[in-house]
Amino acid sequence: MEKKPHFVRREFLPREVPSISLALLLAAVLLLNALLYLYLNKFYISLERVETDHGLCPFGHFKFGAVKNCSPWLSCEAINREVRKLKCVGEGAVKKVFLSEWKEKKVVLSQLTNSELKEDFLHGLKMLKALQSKHVVRLLGYCEQHFTILTEYHPLGSLRGLNETLHIPKYKGMNTWHRRLMLAIDYVSVIRYLHSSPLGTLVMCDSNDLDKVLSQYLLTSDFHVLVNDLDALPLVNRSAGRLVKCGHRELRGEFVAPEQRWPYGEDVPFEDDLMPPYDEKTDIWKIPDVSNFFLGHVEGSDIVRLHLFDIHTACKKKDPAERPSAQEVLDTYRKVLTLLIQEAAVPGTREML
């Protein structure tokens, strides 16, 4: 009897194996994307839940470092007795800043330098007390009598030194598009928090140029952004017809929003009483310029800029009412981060699917 050739199984094996492999690969890609989405979604939800969590201490108390118990804000007496100045590390129009020591921990002591600006100083203190959250530098104590504020020390300093910090060998691993975008997200999160703060809609007025903006924020050792200077933070109240003006002098340059510039031309001398007030959308106008600084010129940063092009174009609308809210900008930044992480985790995912 003639035997049948056994070619059927050998003919189909080469076709079946790639089909099964492709199906498994696609399933793995989908599973990875789903897990990544769930992780990022859980991460962002947890951020919202701790919006006002600043060490899980009640109002008027603080803790930091490895300390487990909350301590009440230091009083005048405690500051005079327990805080030791080490050296002056900065001085602005309103206050002088000293690196100091409290119970063997580095802290920052700020003192008023110009008595004519004591209202600004006290306003900053009021804001610092009321806005304690994960977005704001931690308040440790204050003394209104002596115009003194004590805050947590962050050795990396203000955001002005970000690029220099990222070139230090210890931090070179942080100099990536991912980490830089996370810092931009932190910055926009601060703006969103100020625009929807417990006190109402607050405008970041100390922001007339990029260098001034960067000086208002601190870079923490675990690479997050905190707002540090709240001296110029007026309140917008539309229902009461209250808008703001950032100072009493003429503002110039492309960095400030169009509505912050003198609208009557060079032939008409600037008069503060004639200058129209404005709202929090001035902060939105500045976001693209600040984010461009954050993104720098590392590999991948141009791709991030491309994904942010539309939202940044919207931020630069001449009409403030047409600009997005800080929440809308933040949502877009987070979506872009999620998308780019997905694509980086599984290169070619879009083509495969």
Side-chain angles (χ1 to χ4, degrees):
M1 189 179 215
E2 188 178 348
K3 294 183 178 179
K4 293 181 180 179
H6 298 284
F7 62 84
V8 176
R9 183 174 295 176
R10 284 196 296 269
E11 182 182 344
F12 282 98
L13 267 176
R15 293 180 183 175
E16 289 176 353
V17 171
S19 298
I20 294 172
S21 298
L22 182 59
L24 289 173
L25 182 59
L26 289 173
V29 168
L30 291 171
L31 179 61
L32 179 60
N33 282 334
L35 290 173
L36 188 60
Y37 173 81
L38 290 172
Y39 166 77
L40 288 169
N41 192 50
K42 183 179 179 182
F43 173 71
Y44 291 134
I45 289 173
S46 66
L47 284 182
E48 299 299 329
R49 286 176 179 170
V50 297
E51 191 73 58
T52 57
D53 170 19
H54 208 10
L56 297 175
C57 287
F59 180 80
H61 294 72
F62 72 92
K63 69 176 179 179
F64 68 100
V67 178
K68 293 183 179 180
N69 297 325
C70 296
S71 301
W73 287 336
L74 273 62
S75 63
C76 295
E77 182 184 358
I79 292 174
N80 290 334
R81 185 179 66 249
E82 301 172 13
V83 176
R84 182 170 65 95
K85 290 181 186 176
L86 298 178
K87 63 177 179 178
C88 179
V89 291
E91 184 173 2
V94 178
K95 52 187 177 285
K96 186 177 287 189
V97 180
F98 298 89
L99 174 62
S100 305
E101 192 174 59
W102 174 71
K103 293 188 176 180
E104 300 182 348
K105 296 181 181 68
K106 296 289 192 302
V107 293
V108 173
L109 187 72
S110 302
Q111 291 184 316
L112 178 69
T113 54
N114 185 347
S115 59
E116 293 180 1
L117 298 175
K118 63 181 180 181
E119 293 304 319
D120 296 62
F121 184 90
L122 293 175
H123 176 75
L125 173 58
K126 177 185 174 183
M127 295 293 105
L128 196 54
K129 289 159 62 178
L131 299 176
Q132 284 294 287
S133 73
K134 72 186 187 72
H135 300 296
V136 179
V137 69
R138 201 184 310 265
L139 178 64
L140 307 180
Y142 63 92
C143 178
E144 288 192 37
Q145 291 174 246
H146 301 138
F147 298 98
T148 299
I149 300 173
L150 193 70
T151 54
E152 189 174 11
Y153 171 63
H154 293 280
L156 296 183
S158 80
L159 287 175
R160 284 190 295 191
L162 174 63
N163 289 323
E164 289 75 11
T165 296
L166 289 171
H167 283 94
I168 297 172
K170 179 181 177 181
Y171 298 111
K172 277 190 175 180
M174 296 286 195
N175 197 16
T176 63
W177 69 262
H178 170 260
R179 179 57 63 177
R180 283 176 170 271
L181 179 54
M182 288 292 288
L183 290 174
I185 288 174
D186 272 0
Y187 165 71
V188 177
S189 295
V190 174
I191 299 299
R192 190 281 310 270
Y193 176 65
L194 295 177
H195 288 185
S196 57
S197 82
L199 301 177
T201 302
L202 300 167
V203 181
M204 193 67 176
C205 265
D206 262 346
S207 56
N208 297 335
D209 57 63
L210 178 61
D211 192 64
K212 186 64 175 175
V213 170
L214 298 175
S215 71
Q216 308 302 302
Y217 296 85
L218 295 171
L219 179 64
T220 67
S221 296
D222 58 350
F223 272 70
H224 286 285
V225 174
L226 297 175
V227 63
N228 181 52
D229 196 329
L230 304 175
D231 294 346
L233 211 60
L235 178 70
V236 169
N237 187 337
R238 285 191 185 82
S239 61
R242 183 193 301 167
L243 298 178
V244 304
K245 287 192 285 187
C246 291
H248 304 287
R249 293 180 295 179
E250 182 177 1
L251 301 179
R252 296 176 178 268
E254 293 299 314
F255 188 82
V256 297
E259 64 271 23
Q260 291 185 281
R261 302 171 210 155
W262 180 242
Y264 303 117
E266 294 185 3
D267 294 336
V268 180
F270 177 82
E271 286 187 42
D272 184 43
D273 291 341
L274 298 179
M275 180 67 199
Y278 35 83
D279 62 18
E280 77 280 2
K281 290 298 184 73
T282 58
D283 290 334
I284 304 299
W285 170 274
K286 297 159 190 174
I287 286 176
D289 299 294
V290 180
S291 289
N292 187 54
F293 167 81
F294 278 121
L295 292 174
H297 300 284
V298 298
E299 183 179 356
S301 62
D302 286 342
I303 298 298
V304 179
R305 287 185 178 90
L306 184 62
H307 280 80
L308 296 177
F309 179 81
D310 288 343
I311 192 68
H312 283 172
T313 299
C315 289
K316 290 293 188 179
K317 294 278 189 181
K318 187 171 183 180
D319 182 355
E322 294 181 5
R323 295 174 206 154
S325 67
Q327 183 66 62
E328 290 171 323
V329 178
L330 181 59
D331 290 343
T332 302
Y333 274 41
R334 287 174 171 174
K335 287 176 184 175
V336 168
L337 175 63
T338 301
L339 173 67
L340 293 178
I341 288 178
Q342 287 176 331
E343 293 184 352
V346 188
T349 300
R350 186 178 297 169
E351 291 78 4
M352 292 171 61
L353 298 176

